[in-house]
């Protein structure tokens, strides 16, 4: 259950918006003790109760799911960013109802999408480091039974001082009710299509049941983006990538087929990329989920990179 609290700018010192999502906004805030924290505040009211047998709203579901996942992560892993508090907040004197909030540690830095568009260069040694760290984070997430389902550049933080990575935003994540996930296709599968086109695995786009391989696919897509940041595609490679994207953009009536073609562009990486990383991109972006590696396999693959 969630404790009703009064959350105001005075109780957390000050707020500065640092991100906006579909269900909530994220603020940098400061506690009365002076600690800088991240505050995620839902846009719309959240309620533990349902009326007349009606199901809970999507806002309530996403809030309760994210809280339960962050509590599980706090209990079972020290690799991922940590939950500090949560509750239902009376932000505006009850005018809009109680809104869910979550307080976590503040990760000082920018997300990877912002880093890609900054003046700071992305070098190949940095790509190797990021490939290993992100693989390890996802392997740890899968070890404790969580599918992230929304792995993308904007959900990976690059820390200022060290260029280390951490995963954020577990609002769309799922957890196995039976504990750690086992195998490539898990008993805790879903056919709910969530995620972003381009990072979305083919089985999600088709509406098929899926499991941890969706995170593996998105990891491969993001690794290919890292490689293209370090070594931009030449003219021939850029043309090939455009040709693979074109059917999906131009043939909406044949999207099932064209998305399969579109997904092939994910594995287009610069020819001068390290062979170990190029092969990992292709392995992770396999159209058939059963042929993709587990994230633990990717960690092993990267040990000598």
């Amino acid at each position: 259950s969630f404790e009703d609290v009064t959350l105001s700018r005075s109780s957390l010192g000050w707020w500065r918006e640092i991100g906006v999502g579909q269900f909530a906004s994220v603020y940098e805030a400061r506690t009365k003790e002076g600690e800088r924290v991240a505050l995620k505040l839902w846009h719309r009211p959240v309620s533990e109760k349902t009326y007349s047998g009606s199901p809970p709203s999507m806002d309530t579901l996403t809030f309760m799911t994210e809280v339960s996942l962050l509590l599980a992560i706090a209990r079972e892993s020290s690799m991922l960013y940590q939950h500090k508090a949560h509750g239902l907040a009376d932000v505006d004197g009850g005018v809009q109802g109680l809104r869910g909030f979550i307080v976590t540690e503040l990760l000082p830095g920018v997300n990877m999408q912002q880093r890609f568009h900054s003046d700071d260069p992305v070098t190949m040694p940095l790509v190797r480091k990021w490939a290993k760290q992100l693989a390890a984070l996802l392997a740890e997430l899968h070890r404790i039974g969580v599918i992230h389902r929304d792995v993308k550049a904007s959900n990976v933080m690059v820390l200022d001082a060290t260029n280390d990575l951490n995963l954020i935003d577990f609002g769309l994540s799922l957890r196995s009710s039976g504990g750690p996930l086992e195998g490539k296709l898990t008993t805790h599968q879903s056919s709910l299509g969530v995620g972003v086109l381009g990072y979305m695995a083919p089985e999600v786009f088709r509406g098929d049941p899926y499991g941890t391989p969706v995170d593996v696919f998105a990891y491969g897509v993001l690794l290919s983006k890292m490689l293209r940041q370090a070594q931009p595609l030449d003219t021939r490679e850029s043309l090939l990538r455009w040709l693979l994207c074109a059917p999906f953009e131009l043939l909406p009536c044949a999207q099932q087929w064209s998305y399969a073609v579109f997904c092939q562009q994910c594995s287009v990486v610069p020819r001068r990329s390290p062979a170990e990383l190029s092969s990992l991109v292709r392995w992770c972006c396999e159209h058939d989920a059963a042929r993709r590696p587990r994230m633990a396999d990717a960690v092993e693959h990267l040990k000598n990179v």
Side-chain angles (χ1 to χ4, degrees):
S1 64
F2 305 119
E3 180 184 0
D4 292 353
V5 299
T6 299
L7 183 67
S8 65
R9 291 181 185 274
S10 60
S11 66
L12 278 176
W14 50 269
W15 300 359
R16 179 176 69 88
E17 188 175 81
I18 54 178
V20 181
Q22 180 180 356
F23 296 103
S25 293
V26 180
Y27 301 87
E28 179 182 339
R30 190 183 297 272
T31 67
K32 291 181 178 179
E33 293 75 26
E35 181 186 7
R36 294 168 65 201
V37 295
L39 167 69
K40 186 170 185 176
L41 181 65
W42 263 247
H43 299 312
R44 292 172 290 274
V46 164
S47 174
E48 293 180 89
K49 300 177 181 178
T50 57
Y51 302 94
S52 303
S54 60
S57 67
M58 281 300 295
D59 296 275
T60 299
L61 283 174
T62 57
F63 173 65
M64 295 178 71
T65 297
E66 187 160 358
V67 166
S68 64
L69 285 170
L70 288 173
L71 290 173
I73 288 169
R75 286 194 306 268
E76 300 176 34
S77 176
S78 60
M79 288 181 63
L80 299 148
Y81 81 128
Q82 295 297 305
H83 165 277
K84 289 182 176 291
H86 66 271
L88 298 180
D90 182 2
V91 178
D92 49 16
V95 174
Q96 295 185 19
L98 297 174
R99 289 192 275 164
F101 75 90
I102 298 173
V103 178
T104 61
E105 66 174 307
L106 181 68
L107 299 175
V110 296
N111 67 50
M112 189 173 285
Q113 186 68 25
Q114 293 169 326
R115 177 59 187 271
F116 285 167
H117 290 93
S118 74
D119 294 330
D120 293 327
V122 176
T123 63
M124 196 55 69
L126 194 55
V127 171
R128 290 189 177 95
K129 173 180 177 174
W130 286 351
K132 292 178 180 180
Q133 288 188 343
L134 186 55
L137 288 168
L138 286 169
E140 175 71 358
L141 203 61
H142 294 174
R143 182 190 69 79
I144 63 175
V146 177
I147 313 172
H148 191 282
R149 297 206 302 174
D150 199 20
V151 176
K152 57 186 179 183
S154 58
N155 281 342
V156 178
M157 287 295 294
V158 183
L159 305 188
D160 284 336
T162 60
N163 277 322
D164 288 338
L165 300 185
N166 215 323
L167 274 170
I168 60 172
D169 197 347
F170 294 88
L172 295 178
S173 301
L174 289 176
R175 188 159 199 236
S176 167
S177 58
L181 300 168
E182 296 180 359
K184 296 180 181 179
L185 294 176
T186 73
T187 55
H188 189 66
Q189 295 175 329
S190 172
S191 58
L192 177 63
V194 297
V196 176
L197 290 177
Y199 290 95
M200 184 185 292
E203 60 269 28
V204 181
F205 187 83
R206 292 193 303 266
D208 294 342
Y210 58 81
T212 51
V214 300
D215 287 347
V216 178
F217 184 89
Y219 169 85
V221 173
L222 188 48
L223 179 54
S224 73
K225 290 178 181 288
M226 295 181 206
L227 289 169
R228 292 197 294 271
Q229 285 291 316
Q231 292 182 335
L233 299 176
D234 62 26
T235 303
R236 176 181 171 277
E237 292 162 342
S238 296
L239 178 60
L240 173 61
R241 188 163 179 265
W242 181 86
L243 289 172
L244 291 170
C245 292
F248 184 71
E249 302 290 343
L250 302 176
L251 298 173
C253 58
Q255 283 199 336
Q256 293 288 356
W257 166 80
S258 59
Y259 192 71
V261 177
F262 173 80
C263 287
Q264 295 178 35
Q265 60 86 21
C266 300
S267 60
V268 177
V269 297
R271 283 176 288 179
R272 294 172 294 166
S273 299
E276 298 86 354
L277 296 181
S278 298
S279 63
L280 182 58
V281 168
R282 289 190 291 271
W283 193 13
C284 291
C285 291
E286 283 278 2
H287 188 75
D288 182 354
R291 298 179 64 180
R292 293 176 210 145
R294 296 176 303 125
M295 286 312 309
D297 298 329
V299 170
E300 190 67 27
H301 177 89
L302 290 166
K303 280 186 175 178
N304 297 319
V305 172

